Every structure is written in C-alpha cells, then in structure tokens.
Amino acid sequence: MDTFANMDTTVDRNTPYTSRPWITTALSLRLNDALTYREIAEQLNISTSATHKMFKRFRRTGINWPLPEEYTPERLEEELYAFNLETNLPVKKRRPDWPLEFKIRMADLTLQPGACVAQIAREHGINDNLLFNWRNLHRQGLLDPASRATLIPVTVEQLSPPPRHNGAVSAEMTPVISCKLTLPGGSLSLTGPLTPELLRALVSELRESET
C-alpha cells in the first residue's frame, strides 16, 4: 500500500489544499483494516501522537464512516481541526494571506466561458464570496499592482514671517498656508487658506488626470 513517506504535507499558499492528506487513508486503515495507531503512524510516516489525536477528534465530531459523499478532504480536515482538543472551544481562524498572483489567477479562471465560481472556489479551498469579490475587483482593474494605492511624497514649505508694524502683526498680513505636492506627473503648489477637504479634492483630481 502507498505511504506518505515522500509526500510534502506543508501548505503551499499558491495551491491551498489540505495540509494533512493522510487523514482519509488513516481512517480507512483503522476502521476498515483494523490497524493500530502505531501501525498506521509507521505506514504513513507520521507521529503516533498525531494519529491518536486525529481519531480522538473524529470520534468527538460524530462524523460517520464511510464518509458521506459531500466530505472532501478539505472539509473533513476543517471540521476535525475546528476546535481545541483540550477545551472544545472553536479555534479562531486566521484569514489566509493570499498572494496577489494567486488572486489574479483565480479571478481569470472565473472569467472563462462557462466557468462556475462556486465550483472553482470549492476546488481550490476558497470561500465563494471571497472569490466573487476577487472577480469583481479584477474586472475593475483593482487587482493590477499598478493600480494599487501608493504613498504620495509631500513637502510643506514654511513662509517667511510677515512684517510687523509697531510690534503687532497687521490684520491685512495674516499668515497664509503654503503647500507643495510632488507627484509622479508633476508638482502642485498651493497658497491660501486651505482646508483638509480642499486639499484631498485637489490631490484626487491630480491623480485622476494621470490615469
């Protein structure tokens, strides 16, 4: 019988499949062939502790054997390891940090003629709604690295203090605000009573004109 001695069980972010591909085989060896935990561990080249804990999780979840047809390896592993074995409390899921290239590749698949988003999501272990979101972003060009937001260098120049008359600043010479923006397409100098709203609008207009 095949073993997992040479199988890499680590998760590849670009191909997010199950990280414990031996679970179904271990269940079969135990429940069909009546092997011991130690024999299963030796045959699949995994630790006896990992084997024992997996079966403990399997019994606790109450999943039937043989497995129902809807139980993919991904779903089986997700349910078996969705809780803390000692406390029975749910394990907080860490949202995967999918690489941008993977998002674009998955979005491209959904745009193929006759593509089914739900099926593609299921085959790659992705949430349906998440893949729909990637597809919409890709359609709008927002997954393109060139369109992602970047920091804008800003320099603020301080004006010379206004002249004083008899030790007081003239009301007509009230200091004004001066700001200079350096953008990829040029620079913008602003002088006058500026508000944050006006400044944001001007920067937005400049960036729009460059696209």
Side-chain angles (χ1 to χ4, degrees):
M1 185 175 294
D2 293 337
T3 69
F4 289 82
N6 298 319
M7 178 172 289
D8 183 8
T9 59
T10 59
V11 176
D12 181 352
R13 285 184 173 182
N14 294 319
T15 53
Y17 298 110
T18 175
S19 61
R20 300 177 179 87
W22 48 267
I23 293 178
T24 304
T25 303
L27 290 171
S28 178
L29 292 175
R30 176 67 175 175
L31 302 176
N32 292 342
D33 302 337
L35 268 64
T36 66
Y37 295 148
R38 182 179 296 277
E39 290 171 335
I40 294 172
E42 291 177 353
Q43 185 159 327
L44 300 184
N45 194 31
I46 56 179
S47 69
T48 304
S49 175
T51 306
H52 182 270
K53 289 180 179 179
M54 187 278 291
F55 279 100
K56 188 175 181 180
R57 290 176 178 275
F58 182 77
R59 291 192 298 270
R60 192 168 297 181
T61 57
I63 301 175
N64 295 325
W65 181 267
L67 295 173
E69 293 183 0
E70 66 269 17
Y71 270 88
T72 63
E74 292 79 16
R75 176 179 174 180
L76 178 62
E77 180 177 349
E78 181 179 1
E79 291 194 15
L80 290 182
Y81 292 85
F83 58 92
N84 185 294
L85 195 57
E86 296 180 358
T87 64
N88 272 343
L89 295 176
V91 175
K92 184 177 181 181
K93 295 182 180 180
R94 184 176 67 86
R95 187 173 183 177
D97 183 19
W98 305 110
L100 181 60
E101 295 76 11
F102 176 73
K103 294 179 182 179
I104 295 176
R105 181 155 55 90
M106 292 298 101
D108 282 337
L109 289 177
T110 66
L111 297 176
Q112 299 298 318
C116 176
V117 176
Q119 180 179 350
I120 295 173
R122 183 167 57 253
E123 291 175 350
H124 293 85
I126 309 169
N127 180 272
D128 293 14
N129 293 330
L130 184 61
L131 185 52
F132 272 112
N133 185 47
W134 292 351
R135 183 179 69 168
N136 292 335
L137 291 175
H138 193 38
R139 279 175 169 172
Q140 302 172 38
L142 299 180
L143 285 184
D144 186 348
S147 65
R148 296 167 68 88
T150 56
L151 295 178
I152 302 176
V154 177
T155 58
V156 179
E157 298 180 352
Q158 184 176 4
L159 294 179
S160 302
R164 294 176 176 270
H165 299 280
N166 299 324
V169 178
S170 171
E172 298 180 355
M173 299 296 294
T174 303
V176 295
I177 301 174
S178 177
C179 182
K180 181 178 181 181
L181 301 179
T182 303
L183 301 172
S187 61
L188 171 67
S189 297
L190 303 172
T191 301
L194 305 177
T195 63
E197 292 76 13
L198 175 59
L199 187 56
R200 280 195 292 267
L202 291 172
V203 174
S204 177
E205 289 297 326
L206 266 183
R207 297 191 64 183
E208 285 292 333
S209 64
E210 295 173 1
T211 58

